[in-house]
Amino acid sequence: MLIGHIEEIVRYPIKSFQGENVAKTKIMEYGLYGDRSHAFKDETRRDKYLTITQFPEMAQYIARFIGTEKLDEYPKVEITTPTGEILHWGDENLTQEIQNKSKRMVSLVQYSPTHVPVGAIEEENILLVTDASLAALEQLWGETEVDYRRFRPNLLLSLKEKTPFIEEKWFGKRIKIGSAVELQLKRHCERCMIITVNPENAERNSSLLKTIVKNRNNHFGVYASVIKTGDLQIGDEVHLLD
């Protein structure tokens, strides 16, 4: 059954940095190619990553791959800082800036293009939100337009029938995207303070999280696991399988 199409594809080459919108990419066994493949380890906390939770300004750094997706090595990762400076992953100036601003010692972690452990993503392979649910949440919140980037999804799905939160009825079912990719919808995404951070200026507003806690039992978006890998592009049809 046709349920919609892919409106946006977003991957995050560096964990907790702002991601990049791409026209097409590959779905690997772990999720989008290169998603959360690079990260800063927080050396002040055992086996933990530095994230927006500890350092909200991370949301203002924009990371993107420059070059062709390869399975033996990643393209160069380019970072645009909040001041507009262009740096690259591994640049000592970037590491020093992150340490100085966060007031934490960090180390760099980089995973393979063919294997990014779930620990870097922390949940399932893919996070999906729908346009209908975003519109409904905007009405519930009642303050301003809801920027979907706050929720850090991988896929924004434009529904054929604009039924808010219908995706929560698909748990246990599979969706097929394009000609090859299959995902299984698993469970709710439980929200945290990260959505309170405006990706434009890193300013905090707790009212959005309070709205979701009150009206949605702190759930927004759904997690999915990869069943079949393949190529993915904006505009791909999404079918709900029996």
Side-chain angles (χ1 to χ4, degrees):
M1 179 177 69
L2 176 65
I3 56 174
H5 69 271
I6 298 299
E7 184 173 335
E8 297 286 355
I9 303 170
V10 191
R11 67 178 170 206
Y12 307 85
I14 301 177
K15 183 176 175 64
S16 272
F17 278 15
Q18 197 174 141
E20 60 171 338
N21 292 68
V22 296
K24 60 182 180 179
T25 188
K26 300 179 185 299
I27 290 281
M28 311 292 288
E29 291 182 355
Y30 58 80
L32 298 186
Y33 173 92
D35 192 41
R36 278 86 167 187
S37 56
H38 300 65
F40 290 98
K41 273 287 186 70
D42 184 350
E43 297 299 338
T44 67
R45 302 182 303 144
R46 184 176 180 181
D47 297 327
K48 297 289 185 180
Y49 300 98
L50 181 67
T51 72
I52 295 170
T53 303
Q54 295 81 41
F55 179 35
E57 195 176 344
M58 289 184 85
Q60 289 186 276
Y61 289 79
I62 303 170
R64 65 186 185 121
F65 288 119
I66 305 295
T68 304
E69 296 179 359
K70 299 178 180 179
L71 297 182
D72 57 340
E73 64 177 356
Y74 290 112
K76 183 179 292 187
V77 181
E78 180 185 272
I79 297 102
T80 305
T81 72
T83 61
E85 185 178 4
I86 303 298
L87 300 173
H88 294 91
W89 178 255
D91 190 319
E92 187 59 36
N93 290 331
L94 175 65
T95 303
Q96 197 62 51
E97 180 173 321
I98 295 297
Q99 289 189 151
N100 291 342
K101 288 185 174 181
S102 67
K103 296 180 173 57
R104 295 166 184 264
M105 289 293 297
V106 299
S107 59
L108 279 60
V109 179
Q110 178 177 327
Y111 298 102
S112 161
T114 58
H115 178 68
V116 177
V118 73
I121 305 172
E122 294 184 354
E123 294 291 345
E124 292 291 342
N125 307 136
I126 296 287
L127 177 58
L128 181 150
V129 299
T130 69
D131 59 350
S133 296
L134 282 166
L137 178 60
E138 190 170 301
Q139 290 188 337
L140 289 171
W141 191 25
E143 289 201 14
T144 183
E145 181 180 355
V146 176
D147 187 337
Y148 78 91
R149 293 178 300 168
R150 288 178 180 266
F151 304 100
R152 304 182 67 78
N154 295 118
L155 302 177
L156 174 59
L157 172 61
S158 177
L159 294 176
K160 183 180 178 182
E161 296 184 9
K162 306 300 184 184
T163 305
F165 312 114
I166 186 66
E167 60 272 20
E168 297 176 357
K169 298 185 183 297
W170 300 336
F171 294 152
K173 296 183 178 180
R174 294 186 181 188
I175 57 174
K176 184 173 183 178
I177 305 174
S179 61
V181 172
E182 287 188 21
L183 307 177
Q184 183 172 34
L185 281 297
K186 302 289 284 189
R187 63 183 187 276
H188 297 99
C189 176
E190 187 171 336
R191 290 302 170 174
C192 66
M193 65 73 60
I194 287 176
I195 69 168
T196 70
V197 179
N198 186 329
E200 289 295 334
N201 53 28
E203 292 181 358
R204 298 277 300 277
N205 184 340
S206 62
S207 64
L208 179 58
L209 180 58
K210 290 177 180 177
T211 297
I212 294 176
V213 169
K214 178 181 178 181
N215 296 280
R216 298 292 309 147
N217 196 31
N218 202 27
H219 297 151
F220 189 79
V222 295
Y223 285 118
S225 59
V226 175
I227 304 300
K228 292 184 180 180
T229 61
D231 294 328
L232 182 78
Q233 65 182 5
I234 288 177
D236 275 348
E237 291 186 348
V238 181
H239 292 259
L240 184 65
L241 303 181
D242 294 331

